[in-house]
Amino acid sequence: MMTRLKALWRKETLALLRDRHGLAALFVMPVIFILVMTMALHDAFMPGAAIDVGYAIVDLDNSPHSQSLIRRLNKAGSFRHIASVDNPDTARQAIRDGRYALVLVLPKGFGERLLAPAGADGQPTEPLGLLVDPTLNPVLQLAFRTQTSAALGTLRADELTRQAGKLFGLPSAANAPDRDWPDEIVTVAVQNEHSIRPPSSVQQNVPAWLVFAMFFVVIPISAILIVERQQGTLSRLAAMGLPFRLVLLGKLLPFFIVNQIQAALMVGVGLYVVPLFGGEALVMPQGIGLLNWWLVSMAVSLAAVACALLVASLARTTQQATIIGGVGNILMGAIGGIMVPKFMMPAAMQTLAEFSPMAWGLQGFHTVMLRHGGFAAILPPVLQLLAFAVAALAAATWLNHRQSA
Amino acid sequence: MLRIEGVSFSYRDADTPALDGVTLDIPAGGVFGLLGPNGAGKTTLISILAGLQTATSGSITFNGRPLTEARAAEPRAIALVPQDYAFYPMLTVAENLDFFSGALGLAQRERQAQIAAAIAFARLEQVTGKPAEQLSGGLRRRLNLAIGLLGRPQVLLLDEPTVGVDPQSRRFLLDAIAGLPASGTTVIYTSHYMEEVEAICQRVAIIDQGKVLTEGALDALLRCEESIVELELGAELPAELAARHAAIAEGNLKYRLQLATPTALSGLLDALADAGCSVQQLKVGRENLEHLFMRLTKRSLRD
């Protein structure tokens, strides 16, 4: 039996090495995905990170209070203060030209009427103006408004305190510095250990696209199996007394190894290539954690190869297999939290995600990498993946027997 | 060697059986031709012999043992060469031969010897390093045949082995196949090319609609007692002679005539000479396989 298995493994390896499209789908595509998505989502997974949107200020008041507000906004740091402009018309033109996305206009008399609500003393209070580029994400517009309101609130509180002190005859220093309020919020990611470092985009993207890439073995596996069936090679092998389960076993090991090479490559990209592009390096678990990570990787691989064999047994032509396999993978990835993280989905979609084997794989990797979970914690997704693999292999074997009957 | 007795087989959801009580006796040695129109049941019978299907009823014995038992004991005894190019187009000729010999479970030393023998038999020496997908149709057929011989089978099942090849390659393949019985391999050969079967088969069976219409030694089957003459002439057969001998025109100045008595042949040849019709070819007392086939299977078109 080993002679036959070795021949099958060698044949699969040679066939795969000569399938350039299959190799590109397995190795090049996920590397590109990891690099692009890690860079694109670099800040999305980093709370408090600077947003790459700048604002300009038109200070028509030019008072100590307006200067204080500008300083407080600069200190917040989420948005970049890129310029100060003399008048609103110049600012409008600059927005039209695409140079600024946000311009805050501090009206004349801003400082004077800082503590006078509109109409309270019979005089109108001119509001602060926010000029925005209409293409700017509304969430960012809202974030800037909120940040400005917060800075305004602290400025008013300081001014109120100062004036109250004056009213009660308390001494106060002239030109007192802006006070720092303890209003900064520190994000803490809850893990089993005591690390407080939140996961970076590379921690999210490497396992996600690795799972996705592993399931793409469907392309080379179905390409070979369908050629074997169409050209009568499977019949010839059966006539040679080679059982179909041995043919499946002959495909399982080479593609299992391919999946493990993919895993090593993706981890390598996360560790060494992503930092070259300015991203954070991937942090891999150590010791027993690394073993658990590999267990998840093995379970994902078995599920992926079994799924590919099922697709190849269902499809009649290579085109059908590419469509069923390719589109099926994209759908599994979409509902399984590969493209859009599961926590960002509405509740109904999160329930749907529970049915995607890719989601089980991703859950296993996240349990090890982000929550630092142990063997007991990864067991549920690993068992789900293994059960799926067994069911898919049984279905593939049954389909092939049925077709040959 | 192979005794097929009352074998029937029906495909799932099919209204009529693919094989209906087929009985054949295939002796060891020689090339046995299995003929029949499309859908006659040839491929089904080949599939059953190759172990790909199981007969619904009837029995098959191989060297006196039930086929399943014999195949389990000697998995390499019966080999199949399918009509399709059943090998891996992305692998080279040598890699294909290496893979299939491995799939047969041959040990390393035997493997090397069998691969060398198969390459020599099919004259593939010049293309061993070439990917199979780059081979011509003739070379692909030769590789297909060579793979079938790797296990030194006692019976080789050949399904349309010369489809799509040039005349030179066909000649080579036919000569090679005809030589196989001498090295101990019995050949069961299916083909639509009657002249091929006539050239290399010692025994034939004609089957149609799952039933055996005739079976026996080719010479005996083609011998005709009715004094039928087949002629190929240099000019058209005169109408008077055609009427007298119930002639059937078969195109290209070929005719089939009926003689009243065997001795009437000399009179016919004299009459043709008098009419200025030269005789290019003459066959007497032996029917053409195609005629026999068409007569038995009728001339209606098949799928």
Side-chain angles (χ1 to χ4, degrees):
Chain A
M1 190 170 120
M2 272 320 287
T3 308
R4 293 176 146 198
L5 264 180
K6 277 185 195 165
L8 287 164
W9 291 336
R10 185 173 141 76
K11 176 260 295 177
E12 291 295 338
T13 309
L14 288 171
L16 177 66
L17 288 174
R18 285 166 199 174
D19 177 7
R20 277 179 295 171
H21 296 110
L23 286 175
L26 290 178
F27 296 106
V28 181
M29 181 195 72
V31 168
I32 292 172
F33 268 129
I34 286 176
L35 285 175
V36 170
M37 298 308 283
T38 302
M39 293 302 115
L41 299 174
H42 182 252
D43 296 336
F45 290 97
M46 204 175 281
I51 298 162
D52 196 22
V53 174
Y55 65 93
I57 288 189
V58 181
D59 185 2
L60 299 174
D61 192 43
N62 207 11
S63 65
H65 290 109
S66 65
Q67 293 300 316
S68 176
L69 180 70
I70 293 167
R71 279 195 301 277
R72 282 165 203 265
L73 278 174
N74 284 350
K75 226 167 158 183
S78 294
F79 292 85
R80 285 182 296 114
H81 181 196
I82 47 175
S84 293
V85 185
D86 291 340
N87 67 71
D89 290 337
T90 315
R92 279 197 180 84
Q93 190 54 48
I95 289 177
R96 277 188 221 108
D97 295 344
R99 280 181 284 140
Y100 311 140
L102 289 160
V103 177
L104 182 66
V105 182
L106 304 178
K108 197 157 178 58
F110 165 76
E112 221 172 81
R113 299 192 62 77
L114 186 65
L115 296 177
D121 55 359
Q123 299 292 318
T125 299
E126 204 178 331
L128 272 67
L130 181 62
L131 309 176
V132 298
D133 178 347
T135 61
L136 182 67
N137 185 340
V139 175
L140 290 179
Q141 294 180 29
L142 185 65
F144 186 72
R145 274 182 81 98
T146 309
Q147 193 169 303
T148 309
S149 293
L152 199 56
T154 58
L155 179 64
R156 280 195 176 119
D158 278 354
E159 182 60 15
L160 202 60
T161 313
R162 198 182 62 80
Q163 288 196 13
K166 224 158 91 179
L167 194 66
F168 294 110
L170 299 174
S172 64
N175 299 326
D178 301 328
R179 266 184 263 181
D180 278 330
W181 295 82
D183 53 1
E184 197 185 331
I185 301 166
V186 178
T187 304
V188 178
V190 179
Q191 298 174 324
N192 279 1
E193 290 169 11
H194 300 293
S195 164
I196 57 162
R197 186 184 172 79
S200 63
S201 68
V202 73
Q203 298 290 103
Q204 299 276 353
N205 278 306
V206 167
W209 295 107
L210 171 60
V211 171
F212 191 65
M214 280 182 166
F215 274 82
F216 260 87
V217 289
V218 70
I219 303 292
I221 285 185
S222 55
I224 301 172
L225 192 62
I226 287 167
V227 165
E228 284 175 320
R229 194 167 51 229
Q230 282 178 341
Q231 301 208 348
T233 318
L234 282 184
S235 297
R236 173 171 244 164
L237 292 174
M240 286 176 167
L242 201 73
F244 187 68
R245 60 177 184 280
L246 210 61
V247 175
L248 289 187
L249 204 60
K251 294 182 186 296
L252 214 55
L253 185 76
F255 284 95
F256 177 80
I257 292 171
V258 163
N259 280 162
Q260 300 318 306
I261 294 172
Q262 282 180 307
L265 182 70
M266 302 307 137
V267 167
V269 168
L271 286 173
Y272 306 111
V273 183
V274 169
L276 296 179
F277 287 82
E280 287 197 23
L282 181 74
V283 178
M284 284 294 283
Q286 303 295 316
I288 195 83
L290 194 60
L291 192 66
N292 287 334
W293 190 94
W294 192 50
L295 277 177
V296 176
S297 164
M298 285 199 294
V300 174
S301 173
L302 288 173
V305 178
C307 179
L309 289 169
L310 178 58
V311 170
S313 304
L314 279 169
R316 303 256 60 82
T317 62
T318 313
Q319 288 82 353
Q320 275 182 10
T322 309
I323 291 168
I324 300 174
V327 174
N329 273 0
I330 290 167
L331 280 177
M332 270 202 289
I335 64 167
I338 302 293
M339 290 154 194
V340 179
K342 211 171 108 183
F343 64 82
M344 289 171 88
M345 296 178 182
M349 288 300 289
Q350 289 198 22
T351 310
L352 193 62
E354 293 302 323
F355 294 96
S356 168
M358 287 195 191
W360 308 334
L362 195 54
Q363 188 194 333
F365 280 126
H366 280 173
T367 301
V368 181
M369 295 174 76
L370 303 182
R371 296 183 202 100
H372 297 190
F375 179 71
I378 60 162
L379 206 53
V382 165
L383 287 179
Q384 275 177 307
L385 288 163
L386 292 181
F388 174 78
V390 170
L393 277 179
T397 311
W398 178 76
L399 274 171
N400 279 281
H401 277 300
R402 191 168 173 271
Q403 282 155 8
S404 61
Chain B
M1 179 177 231
L2 259 172
R3 174 86 192 140
I4 301 164
E5 211 158 351
V7 163
S8 297
F9 180 85
S10 292
Y11 286 100
R12 207 179 36 227
D13 306 329
D15 296 332
T16 52
L19 292 178
D20 187 5
V22 169
T23 297
L24 287 173
D25 202 358
I26 302 169
V31 183
F32 188 94
L34 198 55
L35 303 177
N38 289 338
K42 304 183 299 288
T43 303
T44 305
L45 184 56
I46 292 276
S47 297
I48 291 172
L49 294 177
L52 302 175
Q53 307 277 11
T54 308
T56 321
S57 62
S59 69
I60 304 176
T61 54
F62 178 61
N63 291 335
R65 296 165 85 180
L67 182 67
T68 327
E69 200 183 300
R71 283 189 60 84
E74 296 174 88
R76 294 175 218 151
I78 300 177
L80 169 70
V81 176
Q83 186 179 337
D84 298 308
Y85 299 125
F87 46 75
Y88 294 91
M90 70 294 275
L91 302 190
T92 65
V93 168
E95 286 165 350
N96 266 298
L97 290 167
D98 186 52
F99 165 67
F100 284 104
S101 58
L104 279 166
L106 299 182
Q108 192 60 33
R109 189 175 295 175
E110 189 184 2
R111 205 159 154 179
Q112 294 310 321
Q114 282 309 111
I115 291 172
I119 288 173
F121 173 84
R123 298 221 198 122
L124 294 167
E125 296 88 347
Q126 304 301 314
V127 292
T128 50
K130 210 170 180 182
E133 61 198 348
Q134 291 175 15
L135 299 179
S136 65
L139 281 166
R140 286 180 196 210
R141 286 281 163 216
R142 280 149 65 178
L143 174 59
N144 216 21
L145 179 62
I147 292 167
L149 292 169
L150 285 168
R152 296 175 65 190
Q154 295 175 46
V155 175
L156 187 65
L157 307 167
L158 291 174
D159 194 1
E160 305 275 356
T162 59
V163 171
V165 299
D166 57 73
Q168 285 81 359
S169 291
R170 170 170 293 147
R171 188 72 263 158
F172 171 79
L173 283 166
L174 289 176
D175 289 345
I177 292 165
L180 282 172
S183 55
T185 300
T186 302
V187 178
I188 297 179
Y189 188 93
T190 78
S191 176
H192 282 116
Y193 300 113
M194 299 297 155
E195 69 279 15
E196 283 184 3
V197 175
E198 222 175 321
I200 66 167
C201 296
Q202 291 80 46
R203 293 182 72 82
V204 294
I206 297 178
I207 63 171
D208 194 15
Q209 295 174 336
K211 292 188 167 105
V212 177
L213 301 180
T214 189
E215 184 221 353
L218 188 63
D219 285 339
L221 290 176
L222 297 183
R223 195 176 303 130
C224 50
E225 305 298 333
E226 301 130 312
S227 300
I228 287 172
V229 178
E230 283 180 21
L231 289 171
E232 188 178 337
L233 302 176
E236 280 211 19
L237 182 69
E240 187 267 324
L241 279 176
R244 195 193 313 162
H245 295 286
I248 299 168
E250 296 184 324
N252 295 330
L253 300 176
K254 287 181 181 171
Y255 301 90
R256 195 155 181 262
L257 285 75
Q258 187 86 44
L259 296 178
T261 61
T263 50
L265 179 62
S266 56
L268 170 65
L269 292 176
D270 289 344
L272 284 170
D274 292 345
C277 265
S278 62
V279 177
Q280 312 285 331
Q281 206 173 50
L282 170 72
K283 265 191 200 170
V284 185
R286 185 181 161 94
E287 197 174 11
N288 173 311
L289 182 59
E290 191 167 346
H291 290 143
L292 176 70
F293 181 82
M294 295 305 276
R295 185 158 56 80
L296 292 174
T297 61
K298 316 295 182 226
R299 284 171 175 262
S300 57
L301 274 176
R302 307 304 170 93
D303 297 335

